[in-house]
Amino acid sequence: MAGSEKTPQQSFMKSLFFGQIREDFIFPYPKVKAETAETVNMVVDTIDKFAKDNVRSAEWDEKMGMPREIVTSCAEMGLLGLAVPEDLGGLGLPQAGYARILQQVAAHDGGLAVTLGAHQSIGYKALLLFGNEEQRKRFLPRLAAGELIAAFCLTEPSSGSDAASIQTKAELSPDGKHYIVTGNKLWITNGAIAGFLTVFCKTDVIENGEKKEKVTCLAMELPSEGVQIGPNEHKLGIRASWTNAIHFDKVKVPVENVIGGVGQGFKVAMGVLNHGRMGLGAGCVGAAKNAIKASLEHATSRQQFKKKLIEFGMIKEKIARMTMHTYVAESMVYMTTNFIDRGDMDYSMESAAAKVFASEMLWEVLDENIQIWAGNGYMKEYPYERWLRDARINRIFEGTNEILRAFVALSGMQGPGQELAGLAKAIQYPLKGLGVVTDYATRKVKQSVFGESINAAHPRLKKIAGYLEEYTVELSQQTEILLKRHGKEIHLKQFAQKRIADVAIDLYAMYCTLSRVSAAITAKGEAACEMEIAIAEAFSMKAHRRIRGNFKAIDRNEDELMKLIADKTAENGGYIWDYFKE
Ligand code: MYA
């Protein structure tokens, strides 16, 4: 579809739900500017050298913490102000450069990546994105220099996925000069070392003459009277990082420290997380690359039945899948960071999709790495069980993959849902609504007769483009069927949401890969891109089978049976059978 044509939403994935392919958003695959690449590559080398001499992952895991001086050394290397503008003391990197560096840190140590990520992916990101000039000048230089370490305080004992339900309260002081904050935050990364907290609280606001409670984001500098930091939590993985509960008892925060406006905190939190999820996705790519290297080390040296492991088909299949999924995840991450760097559109769905794909990819890669290392992989003597423990959190934090799937499905369906509602109204009042009906009808006729076409992909990848053209139109058709079937109840239909989200994530993954491999063929020629082409084709064939299955299951599925099994299991208080008592 031509780039200049009107689209209902300024987001690539949202457009897919209308059956539209905004080629102009994703082709050509973004290229990093030479000067950014130079800086980033230098920092990457520095990290590798530093890690070799200083990162002691096994020891940190065992002792449940890294020395505080490691964070200081990271600050000295400029790693705490990666995206802070240069005039405020940072490296001024775009999101893509930031992500690439976090990717490298994660390749060395998950706990260290989380510490640096919690500081700048989310800890002071609200300030960077929504802070006013005075606030940015007051805090960012010290945050970039590591004088202040930041933490993001959203989660509470009773508020995890449901971020809007936080209870921490900020009340305006009688003189109107301060907010008085009281409440509890849970599992706050960097809590124990933080000097700067981004705290989300409920505040009273007046809207249309009515008093309401809305979320507000506050910058809190420590030490502050009334702040109590709990002990470091015992965790399954990322044990090198600090995770603490934080209690606020009537803590005074100046009103000048409101970030993004009173009552605007939910949007601030979501904006921060949309960025944060890209750092996490990139971290997963870094850790996966490292695991592939480890798997190969064993697969190419260990012999069984007089053959190297890599000569066996079942091991080849694993290595191929690990490489393929890492490449696809990387393609999604850097496509999405480019949306952020362009600054011109909504990338919330894309960043959620990349986080889900990358975190599940890493889990699978690390699991297969242990399988390849087999008995050795299971032993503490090797780092692989720790890698798996470290990676488990990625499917949970910065939005569980379940809540992000629901978000992808419902955000995608929101536009078509509004259009259908508008259509229903327009049909009721045919004269007034003629324009709406004609626009919709024209698009539908065009899509069903001519389909959508992809012109910017390399001709060598025609087959993949063909799948995408077909499935994008089908996504919009199936969305419409679901919306007509369930109406507003679609919010409650999580089995359906999961299927639609999985299709949308697979489609986005295919589009990103198609664009990247097209660019590679154009730059290097087909012969030099044999492996990239194989990855794009193999992934799209696998995704094609999943997508077909998901579409089919929209009408023919076992959802009711699964609900019955779950409900009965819950009613019975667990699994009831015992073969020896039957
Ligand atoms: S931090 C804690 C992480 N917590 C979460 O991620 C919470 C997840 N929950 C949510 O995201 C929201 O509550 C959901 C919305 C999505 C469920 N962008 O009615 P609504 C808009 C833009 O749907 P709800 C941590 O883990 C929406 O359009 N806008 O709201 C630390 C609507 O707008 P409008 C968004 O049902 C980890 C409005 O908001 C978004 O309440 C440390 C209301 O929406 C969005 N995304 O729930 C990590 N979502 O009214 C360090 C919603 O205009 C990591 N909206 O229509 C470092 C990396 C390390 C790497 C290591 C690798 C090895």
Side-chain angles (χ1 to χ4, degrees), residues 122 155 161 163 266-267 270 273-274 277 283 348 397-399 407:
I122 53 177
T155 304
S161 290
F266 191 74
K267 285 226 145 82
M270 295 301 115
L273 288 164
N274 290 339
R277 287 169 189 149
S348 55
F397 65 13
E398 294 207 32
F407 171 71

Side-chain angles (χ1 to χ4, degrees), residues 304-357:
Q304 290 291 280
F305 307 104
K306 300 196 178 111
K307 276 183 179 181
K308 289 192 177 139
L309 296 188
I310 189 77
E311 293 174 62
F312 292 96
M314 287 193 212
I315 303 295
K316 275 192 210 298
E317 190 278 334
K318 288 185 199 305
I319 298 284
R321 189 156 32 85
M322 290 158 87
T323 301
M324 174 179 77
H325 283 158
T326 305
Y327 184 90
V328 174
E330 190 179 45
S331 308
M332 294 169 89
V333 165
Y334 291 104
M335 176 70 83
T336 313
T337 52
N338 182 57
F339 292 159
I340 299 179
D341 290 331
R342 274 193 336 213
D344 59 358
M345 49 202 279
D346 170 3
Y347 43 80
S348 55
M349 281 176 70
E350 290 79 0
S351 113
K355 186 273 188 184
V356 170
F357 189 95

